[in-house]
Amino acid sequence: MILVITTELILPNETDLINQMFQEGLDLLHIRKPWLSRNEMLEFITQIDKTFHSQLVLHTYYDLGKEFNISRFHFREIDRREEAYKPFVEENTISTSVHDITTYNTLDKEWEYAFISPFFPSISKKGYGLDSTIKEEVKHRNNPDVKLIALGGINQDNIHEVFEAETDGAALLGAIWESEEPLKVFRKCRNALMS
């Protein structure tokens, strides 16, 4: 499974690129834009082809789910601890983020998957994850109910290592959006998995 997470700010032609990635096999898109107003978010989602709305995951403005037929919602660690996700468990697919395998192993089966990061040193947050041991920690995974998605520093050159570590997927962010040619990078990552 390959997921893409948006950047925090809106980029030129971003929704065109997103539509093209979906056409080329993108599994899920996480819309993580904490600075957008509700109207800007509405506008952003409207520019994504309706046929892909069921593959969108909202990080904010969860109420827009009903409007756009979106039933996937992502909750940060703090939201999970404060149980802000509880009203969304019924009839929706929920995901969350963790930063160590011990926390991941304690997640209940109501979570579809969890991002674990940083898997490699981050591309978008310079210096973040340089000392990360996540890749080694994954060996201690013992949660059979929740899929594990690697996040952080993943690109076409190392994506195979993510799957060799027996995770269930990879989330791309910096490799895509810091590139001059996001679509080409997405293709290369997808092809690396196919081969």
Side-chain angles (χ1 to χ4, degrees), residues 51-64:
T51 50
F52 306 125
H53 284 183
S54 64
Q55 293 163 270
L56 300 178
V57 185
L58 296 179
H59 283 229
T60 51
Y61 302 114
Y62 303 121
D63 60 304
L64 291 175

PDB file of all heavy atoms in Angstrom, residues 51-64:
ATOM      1  N   THR A  51     -14.398  10.679  -8.130  1.00  0.00           N
ATOM      2  CA  THR A  51     -14.202   9.226  -8.095  1.00  0.00           C
ATOM      3  C   THR A  51     -13.151   8.813  -7.065  1.00  0.00           C
ATOM      4  O   THR A  51     -13.111   7.659  -6.667  1.00  0.00           O
ATOM      5  CB  THR A  51     -13.769   8.683  -9.480  1.00  0.00           C
ATOM      6  OG1 THR A  51     -12.682   9.468  -9.950  1.00  0.00           O
ATOM      7  CG2 THR A  51     -14.901   8.724 -10.482  1.00  0.00           C
ATOM      8  N   PHE A  52     -12.317   9.752  -6.620  1.00  0.00           N
ATOM      9  CA  PHE A  52     -11.259   9.428  -5.655  1.00  0.00           C
ATOM     10  C   PHE A  52     -11.591   9.841  -4.222  1.00  0.00           C
ATOM     11  O   PHE A  52     -10.802   9.608  -3.308  1.00  0.00           O
ATOM     12  CB  PHE A  52      -9.928  10.065  -6.079  1.00  0.00           C
ATOM     13  CG  PHE A  52      -9.517   9.712  -7.477  1.00  0.00           C
ATOM     14  CD1 PHE A  52      -9.228  10.699  -8.408  1.00  0.00           C
ATOM     15  CD2 PHE A  52      -9.417   8.383  -7.877  1.00  0.00           C
ATOM     16  CE1 PHE A  52      -8.860  10.374  -9.706  1.00  0.00           C
ATOM     17  CE2 PHE A  52      -9.042   8.042  -9.171  1.00  0.00           C
ATOM     18  CZ  PHE A  52      -8.764   9.049 -10.095  1.00  0.00           C
ATOM     19  N   HIS A  53     -12.758  10.453  -4.013  1.00  0.00           N
ATOM     20  CA  HIS A  53     -13.080  10.960  -2.675  1.00  0.00           C
ATOM     21  C   HIS A  53     -13.072   9.864  -1.603  1.00  0.00           C
ATOM     22  O   HIS A  53     -12.711  10.118  -0.465  1.00  0.00           O
ATOM     23  CB  HIS A  53     -14.411  11.715  -2.682  1.00  0.00           C
ATOM     24  CG  HIS A  53     -14.292  13.082  -3.292  1.00  0.00           C
ATOM     25  ND1 HIS A  53     -15.341  13.955  -3.358  1.00  0.00           N
ATOM     26  CD2 HIS A  53     -13.236  13.718  -3.858  1.00  0.00           C
ATOM     27  CE1 HIS A  53     -14.939  15.084  -3.957  1.00  0.00           C
ATOM     28  NE2 HIS A  53     -13.674  14.946  -4.271  1.00  0.00           N
ATOM     29  N   SER A  54     -13.436   8.644  -1.984  1.00  0.00           N
ATOM     30  CA  SER A  54     -13.439   7.554  -0.991  1.00  0.00           C
ATOM     31  C   SER A  54     -12.018   7.157  -0.574  1.00  0.00           C
ATOM     32  O   SER A  54     -11.829   6.429   0.390  1.00  0.00           O
ATOM     33  CB  SER A  54     -14.176   6.334  -1.545  1.00  0.00           C
ATOM     34  OG  SER A  54     -13.483   5.836  -2.672  1.00  0.00           O
ATOM     35  N   GLN A  55     -11.005   7.658  -1.301  1.00  0.00           N
ATOM     36  CA  GLN A  55      -9.603   7.350  -0.984  1.00  0.00           C
ATOM     37  C   GLN A  55      -8.906   8.522  -0.279  1.00  0.00           C
ATOM     38  O   GLN A  55      -7.699   8.505  -0.099  1.00  0.00           O
ATOM     39  CB  GLN A  55      -8.851   6.989  -2.265  1.00  0.00           C
ATOM     40  CG  GLN A  55      -9.317   5.679  -2.884  1.00  0.00           C
ATOM     41  CD  GLN A  55      -8.858   5.569  -4.334  1.00  0.00           C
ATOM     42  OE1 GLN A  55      -9.556   5.984  -5.261  1.00  0.00           O
ATOM     43  NE2 GLN A  55      -7.669   5.026  -4.526  1.00  0.00           N
ATOM     44  N   LEU A  56      -9.695   9.523   0.104  1.00  0.00           N
ATOM     45  CA  LEU A  56      -9.134  10.667   0.820  1.00  0.00           C
ATOM     46  C   LEU A  56      -9.242  10.430   2.324  1.00  0.00           C
ATOM     47  O   LEU A  56     -10.199   9.832   2.802  1.00  0.00           O
ATOM     48  CB  LEU A  56      -9.882  11.952   0.456  1.00  0.00           C
ATOM     49  CG  LEU A  56      -9.858  12.360  -1.019  1.00  0.00           C
ATOM     50  CD1 LEU A  56     -10.686  13.628  -1.229  1.00  0.00           C
ATOM     51  CD2 LEU A  56      -8.427  12.558  -1.511  1.00  0.00           C
ATOM     52  N   VAL A  57      -8.239  10.912   3.044  1.00  0.00           N
ATOM     53  CA  VAL A  57      -8.225  10.808   4.507  1.00  0.00           C
ATOM     54  C   VAL A  57      -8.103  12.218   5.070  1.00  0.00           C
ATOM     55  O   VAL A  57      -7.158  12.940   4.736  1.00  0.00           O
ATOM     56  CB  VAL A  57      -7.030   9.951   4.995  1.00  0.00           C
ATOM     57  CG1 VAL A  57      -7.098   9.740   6.502  1.00  0.00           C
ATOM     58  CG2 VAL A  57      -6.972   8.611   4.256  1.00  0.00           C
ATOM     59  N   LEU A  58      -9.063  12.618   5.889  1.00  0.00           N
ATOM     60  CA  LEU A  58      -9.047  13.968   6.463  1.00  0.00           C
ATOM     61  C   LEU A  58      -8.310  13.989   7.797  1.00  0.00           C
ATOM     62  O   LEU A  58      -8.487  13.107   8.631  1.00  0.00           O
ATOM     63  CB  LEU A  58     -10.479  14.470   6.675  1.00  0.00           C
ATOM     64  CG  LEU A  58     -11.344  14.661   5.430  1.00  0.00           C
ATOM     65  CD1 LEU A  58     -12.747  15.130   5.818  1.00  0.00           C
ATOM     66  CD2 LEU A  58     -10.703  15.652   4.456  1.00  0.00           C
ATOM     67  N   HIS A  59      -7.488  15.032   7.991  1.00  0.00           N
ATOM     68  CA  HIS A  59      -6.802  15.257   9.263  1.00  0.00           C
ATOM     69  C   HIS A  59      -7.487  16.360  10.068  1.00  0.00           C
ATOM     70  O   HIS A  59      -7.198  16.526  11.247  1.00  0.00           O
ATOM     71  CB  HIS A  59      -5.335  15.645   9.021  1.00  0.00           C
ATOM     72  CG  HIS A  59      -4.456  14.496   8.652  1.00  0.00           C
ATOM     73  ND1 HIS A  59      -3.250  14.261   9.259  1.00  0.00           N
ATOM     74  CD2 HIS A  59      -4.615  13.489   7.748  1.00  0.00           C
ATOM     75  CE1 HIS A  59      -2.695  13.183   8.740  1.00  0.00           C
ATOM     76  NE2 HIS A  59      -3.504  12.699   7.819  1.00  0.00           N
ATOM     77  N   THR A  60      -8.333  17.148   9.396  1.00  0.00           N
ATOM     78  CA  THR A  60      -9.077  18.238  10.046  1.00  0.00           C
ATOM     79  C   THR A  60     -10.442  18.344   9.363  1.00  0.00           C
ATOM     80  O   THR A  60     -10.659  17.694   8.333  1.00  0.00           O
ATOM     81  CB  THR A  60      -8.354  19.599   9.878  1.00  0.00           C
ATOM     82  OG1 THR A  60      -8.045  19.773   8.487  1.00  0.00           O
ATOM     83  CG2 THR A  60      -7.072  19.686  10.700  1.00  0.00           C
ATOM     84  N   TYR A  61     -11.317  19.177   9.906  1.00  0.00           N
ATOM     85  CA  TYR A  61     -12.649  19.401   9.320  1.00  0.00           C
ATOM     86  C   TYR A  61     -13.344  18.069   8.983  1.00  0.00           C
ATOM     87  O   TYR A  61     -13.819  17.848   7.875  1.00  0.00           O
ATOM     88  CB  TYR A  61     -12.568  20.289   8.063  1.00  0.00           C
ATOM     89  CG  TYR A  61     -11.947  21.634   8.323  1.00  0.00           C
ATOM     90  CD1 TYR A  61     -10.732  21.984   7.752  1.00  0.00           C
ATOM     91  CD2 TYR A  61     -12.567  22.552   9.182  1.00  0.00           C
ATOM     92  CE1 TYR A  61     -10.146  23.219   8.015  1.00  0.00           C
ATOM     93  CE2 TYR A  61     -11.987  23.790   9.442  1.00  0.00           C
ATOM     94  CZ  TYR A  61     -10.778  24.116   8.864  1.00  0.00           C
ATOM     95  OH  TYR A  61     -10.197  25.335   9.121  1.00  0.00           O
ATOM     96  N   TYR A  62     -13.387  17.205   9.978  1.00  0.00           N
ATOM     97  CA  TYR A  62     -13.970  15.873   9.783  1.00  0.00           C
ATOM     98  C   TYR A  62     -15.433  15.953   9.326  1.00  0.00           C
ATOM     99  O   TYR A  62     -15.926  15.051   8.670  1.00  0.00           O
ATOM    100  CB  TYR A  62     -13.877  15.051  11.068  1.00  0.00           C
ATOM    101  CG  TYR A  62     -12.465  14.904  11.601  1.00  0.00           C
ATOM    102  CD1 TYR A  62     -12.124  15.355  12.871  1.00  0.00           C
ATOM    103  CD2 TYR A  62     -11.468  14.297  10.831  1.00  0.00           C
ATOM    104  CE1 TYR A  62     -10.830  15.214  13.359  1.00  0.00           C
ATOM    105  CE2 TYR A  62     -10.172  14.160  11.309  1.00  0.00           C
ATOM    106  CZ  TYR A  62      -9.854  14.617  12.579  1.00  0.00           C
ATOM    107  OH  TYR A  62      -8.583  14.483  13.060  1.00  0.00           O
ATOM    108  N   ASP A  63     -16.104  17.063   9.677  1.00  0.00           N
ATOM    109  CA  ASP A  63     -17.516  17.220   9.283  1.00  0.00           C
ATOM    110  C   ASP A  63     -17.692  17.261   7.762  1.00  0.00           C
ATOM    111  O   ASP A  63     -18.775  16.989   7.253  1.00  0.00           O
ATOM    112  CB  ASP A  63     -18.110  18.486   9.930  1.00  0.00           C
ATOM    113  CG  ASP A  63     -17.364  19.742   9.497  1.00  0.00           C
ATOM    114  OD1 ASP A  63     -16.116  19.806   9.692  1.00  0.00           O
ATOM    115  OD2 ASP A  63     -17.993  20.663   8.961  1.00  0.00           O
ATOM    116  N   LEU A  64     -16.623  17.584   7.031  1.00  0.00           N
ATOM    117  CA  LEU A  64     -16.715  17.627   5.568  1.00  0.00           C
ATOM    118  C   LEU A  64     -16.859  16.222   4.978  1.00  0.00           C
ATOM    119  O   LEU A  64     -17.214  16.066   3.816  1.00  0.00           O
ATOM    120  CB  LEU A  64     -15.488  18.319   4.956  1.00  0.00           C
ATOM    121  CG  LEU A  64     -15.370  19.823   5.213  1.00  0.00           C
ATOM    122  CD1 LEU A  64     -14.067  20.366   4.655  1.00  0.00           C
ATOM    123  CD2 LEU A  64     -16.550  20.569   4.619  1.00  0.00           C
TER     124      LEU A  64
END
